Amino acid sequence: MALDPQQRAEFVNSYTRVLISAWSDEAFSAKLASEPRTALAEAGLELPADAEVVIVTQAPDGHEQGNLDVQVDLWETGLETGRYEFHIPATPTVDAVELSEGDLSDVAAGVLDACNYCCCPCCCCT
């Protein structure tokens, strides 16, 4: 059963809430492991009472970790079969680059290299 654009957006928003909560809240993550139906409902993903819920923390072979299209396909399959599989990848790591004293000084002084931050050509970088 293919989702219409509105249904897809609603699912993606709820699934995103699940991921963010799982990554930022240890209590939610524990609930997702022990009571997945309850945790999913808290994030806006209501499942039928007889649905089978499977939480996968390691992407299966052939599935790209964190691929949203795969998760949407799994949701659509669940709507047809009653078996809902959710991929919950490990918390992503962010590479925090340290700024030099000169960089910090420039930021504090309001000095920015606009060309490094601009998303489109404009008068300052053409």
Side-chain angles (χ1 to χ4, degrees):
M1 171 182 174
L3 300 175
D4 66 37
Q6 177 66 31
Q7 292 169 321
R8 181 184 169 94
E10 289 171 2
F11 169 75
V12 168
N13 288 337
S14 296
Y15 176 66
T16 300
R17 278 192 296 277
V18 169
L19 292 178
I20 291 169
S21 296
W23 294 336
S24 63
D25 182 350
E26 289 182 29
F28 182 87
S29 185
K31 184 182 284 187
L32 188 60
S34 64
E35 301 174 57
R37 183 183 312 278
T38 303
L40 293 167
E42 287 176 10
L45 293 172
E46 295 286 338
L47 301 174
D50 62 343
E52 177 186 359
V53 180
V54 179
I55 303 296
V56 178
T57 56
Q58 293 290 332
D61 289 341
H63 286 193
E64 181 182 332
Q65 186 78 9
N67 185 315
L68 187 56
D69 290 330
V70 168
Q71 189 59 63
V72 170
D73 290 344
L74 289 170
W75 177 256
E76 291 173 341
T77 299
L79 293 172
E80 293 175 5
T81 66
R83 182 182 189 276
Y84 294 84
E85 183 175 315
F86 295 92
H87 292 185
I88 311 296
T91 305
T93 57
V94 176
D95 185 19
V97 177
E98 291 187 31
L99 297 175
S100 69
E101 285 185 37
D103 293 336
L104 290 172
S105 177
D106 287 347
V107 169
V111 177
L112 295 175
D113 181 0
C115 291
N116 287 337
Y117 304 103
C118 188
C119 61
C120 62
C122 60
C123 62
C124 68
C125 57
T126 55

